Amino acid sequence: MVAPSDAAYYSAPNSSFRTCHDGATAAQPARKPLSMRKYTIASLTQSGDVKRSEQIGPAMPIFEAAFSAFAHGTIIGTEHGPVAVEDLEPGMRILTMNDTAEPLIWVGSMTLMPRSSDLPEGGSLTRIMSDSYGIGRPQADLMAGPGARLLLRRPARFSMSGDDRPLTPASKLADGMNAIEIVPPTPVTVYHLCLPKHAIISANGMDMDSFHPGAGFERNMGPNMLTLFLSFFPHVKEARDFGPRAHPRLPFGTFDASAEFA
């Protein structure tokens, strides 16, 4: 079944049968079909070219989190100035919190269908109001997707160790004033980014992280699902190739809790 007005979601048929005592077969109650969706990928090849593809994969949180941090229009800090996320190309150099510029090697995107009574598997965005966390933080309203995490710093006078708070899912910041959950009226394209290693980057002046599935994420996936997931990242051959996390993170939910606290 295709979601209204977009080919973002599909349902994979799933029926089963049992054998009766007389040898006939009878259909068993079908399990709920696995929802599938389209993911769009642009990746940097070893030769420096950009490879583009569209793949169908499960509409599962672990997959969707890899494609849904930054809403269309989010401004990302690059070596040559701010660039809208939809205009980024693999090979561009992204500024990181460590004052280095790292090559962008992967851009993933998907269509976020608004959650509704007709589409309960749809999603929402978190709107971070401008200057909510200090002057220029964010510089303009930030529309964060379901896969977004932000790094909110403690004021120096309150920090005993100098450590930052963990990266926090944008959805967990919603308080009805500084951050508001928004169900968009129409489908929205959302994006995520991979650098050679996990990093903190600037989005509308806020510190957010590039994509990393979490330490030990593969323990929550069967071998076939893991193979499919890794195939979405041409620069990755094994789960460990994602490398270590740049900063502690809070999980989105139960699906990645063990990975984040491993």
Side-chain angles (χ1 to χ4, degrees):
M1 178 178 64
V2 179
S5 75
D6 189 80
Y9 287 95
Y10 306 87
S11 293
N14 190 350
S15 58
S16 57
F17 297 85
R18 62 178 174 84
T19 302
C20 301
H21 293 296
D22 59 3
T25 58
Q28 290 182 320
R31 291 176 294 173
K32 184 179 180 179
L34 178 64
S35 293
M36 307 291 283
R37 63 149 59 245
K38 181 173 68 177
Y39 298 99
T40 301
I41 298 165
S43 59
L44 189 66
T45 68
Q46 292 184 344
S47 64
D49 297 325
V50 177
K51 179 181 178 181
R52 304 179 191 279
S53 64
E54 292 184 346
Q55 294 186 229
I56 301 299
M60 297 169 57
I62 184 65
F63 281 80
E64 294 183 328
F67 293 82
S68 62
F70 311 104
H72 186 95
T74 301
I75 302 300
I76 305 297
T78 78
E79 185 177 44
H80 298 293
V83 176
V85 67
E86 63 269 22
D87 295 328
L88 291 174
E89 286 286 320
M92 290 182 172
R93 299 183 71 83
I94 306 298
L95 295 179
T96 73
M97 191 175 68
N98 296 328
D99 295 324
T100 61
E102 299 292 339
L104 178 62
I105 59 175
W106 183 94
V107 179
S109 64
M110 70 179 200
T111 300
L112 181 74
M113 300 298 294
R115 186 174 62 242
S116 67
S117 57
D118 295 329
L119 192 67
E121 66 268 37
S124 61
L125 302 172
T126 303
R127 183 177 202 161
I128 312 293
M129 309 301 288
S130 63
D131 299 333
S132 287
Y133 298 101
I135 301 299
R137 294 180 56 80
Q139 296 164 348
D141 287 5
L142 171 67
M143 299 295 282
R149 287 185 175 93
L150 292 88
L151 184 60
L152 303 179
R153 301 177 181 281
R154 290 187 178 94
R157 64 184 183 278
F158 296 133
S159 178
M160 299 297 292
S161 64
D163 292 337
D164 294 313
R165 297 178 183 178
L167 284 155
T168 303
S171 60
K172 293 186 177 181
L173 299 175
D175 59 7
M177 181 170 19
N178 295 315
I180 305 169
E181 182 184 19
I182 298 289
V183 177
T186 58
V188 175
T189 303
V190 287
Y191 302 80
H192 219 327
L193 312 173
C194 278
L195 306 184
K197 56 185 178 180
H198 187 224
I200 310 300
I201 64 177
S202 174
N204 282 26
M206 294 295 289
D207 293 329
M208 301 177 68
D209 67 333
S210 62
F211 177 68
H212 191 292
F217 76 95
E218 68 277 11
R219 295 195 294 266
N220 297 326
M221 308 174 95
N224 292 337
M225 194 66 75
L226 177 60
T227 298
L228 176 61
F229 182 79
L230 295 180
S231 73
F232 285 20
F233 303 90
H235 60 287
V236 169
K237 302 303 179 187
E238 302 179 35
R240 64 184 179 183
D241 293 342
F242 283 104
R245 291 166 298 177
H247 201 87
R249 309 190 305 187
L250 295 180
F252 292 117
T254 55
F255 80 92
D256 71 339
S258 60
E260 292 309 328
F261 293 121

